[in-house]
Amino acid sequence: MAKEKKPKEPLPPLKQWLGPVALAWFVPGGGHFLLKRHGRAALLLVAITAMFLLGLMMRGTLFQPKTGDLLTTLIYCGGFLGNLASGILYMATVWFGYAQPDVAGHVHDYGTKFLVTAGLLNVLAMVDAFEIAAGRKS
Amino acid sequence: MPKVTLNHFEAALLFALFTSIVFGVVTTRTDRDRVIYGVKSFGYFLLALFAIGWLMFLSHG
């Protein structure tokens, strides 16, 4: 028997979720702070910021968008988007000149992964902020 | 900016810790469920870390 499809929920009004989601991107945990989920906001802020800072201290590199073959495009553009998702952490790193060139070594490699993962975790935090703002979860 | 040098295990452990915290926080359900999910997630990361580590060690002879 075919599984019945759940009806798609309509998107809530933009003004209801845009602020929390934008703040969640700009400052990790910011969306949760705005929505008065202070405990969860603090945990997100600490975990994502610590991951990003550790990545920098391990001399990880920030991706620059680069095109070429499929894999190169995927890695460099995807990595750039992942870095960009860290919001103010990424911008401050670039503005204050802490972005470092790519060097060989397992510690630097881990650092690069930490930097991208911090951004991807912030995307999860943004989705969570959206769902709370839209009233889909508490 | 101070430089941090971690070995593979320390880096993977910290990665697992921070990722599990975020996984725990963004899951639906109650606070208790969030803690359980975070701890479980951390445990699975550790399990995978040791399992893949041993697999690599044994496959290299």
Side-chain angles (χ1 to χ4, degrees):
Chain A
M1 194 193 287
K3 205 174 166 186
E4 265 187 52
K5 259 191 169 177
K6 218 174 149 187
K8 218 174 170 186
E9 282 181 74
L11 198 68
L14 196 69
K15 65 176 182 183
Q16 191 180 329
W17 54 268
L18 187 64
V21 172
L23 192 62
W25 166 70
F26 196 62
V27 181
H32 287 72
F33 268 119
L34 194 66
L35 296 165
K36 306 210 181 324
R37 268 65 172 186
H38 297 119
R40 278 187 266 168
L43 278 172
L44 288 172
L45 179 66
V46 169
I48 295 171
T49 306
M51 191 159 223
F52 192 90
L53 290 178
L54 267 172
L56 273 188
M57 289 192 281
M58 285 195 265
R59 301 292 186 262
T61 187
L62 292 170
F63 285 97
Q64 296 295 323
K66 195 160 94 178
T67 52
D69 59 85
L70 181 66
L71 203 59
T72 305
T73 308
L74 202 68
I75 291 170
Y76 283 88
C77 293
F80 173 69
L81 289 177
N83 285 152
L84 203 61
S86 301
I88 188 72
L89 297 172
Y90 171 79
M91 288 184 238
T93 303
V94 174
W95 288 336
F96 295 127
Y98 285 108
Q100 293 146 107
D102 195 8
V103 280
H106 79 272
V107 178
H108 310 300
D109 208 31
Y110 263 120
T112 303
K113 269 63 179 179
F114 269 53
L115 290 171
V116 174
T117 308
L120 297 180
L121 292 176
N122 202 31
V123 172
L124 285 181
M126 285 161 68
V127 172
D128 196 50
F130 167 79
E131 290 190 325
I132 296 169
R136 293 181 186 170
K137 66 189 275 197
S138 63
Chain B
M1 179 71 64
K3 190 176 179 183
V4 168
T5 303
L6 303 174
N7 60 35
H8 285 285
F9 182 70
E10 291 163 342
L13 203 68
L14 285 170
F15 184 95
L17 177 70
F18 296 131
T19 307
S20 300
I21 290 173
V22 176
F23 280 2
V25 168
V26 301
T27 46
T28 52
R29 301 180 293 260
T30 62
D31 281 348
R32 188 176 174 273
D33 286 338
R34 288 190 184 99
V35 172
I36 292 171
Y37 190 88
V39 172
K40 254 189 190 173
S41 169
F42 185 66
Y44 289 142
F45 267 119
L46 285 191
L47 196 69
L49 179 63
F50 280 103
I52 295 169
W54 272 105
L55 195 72
M56 285 194 289
F57 176 75
L58 294 172
S59 66
H60 275 278

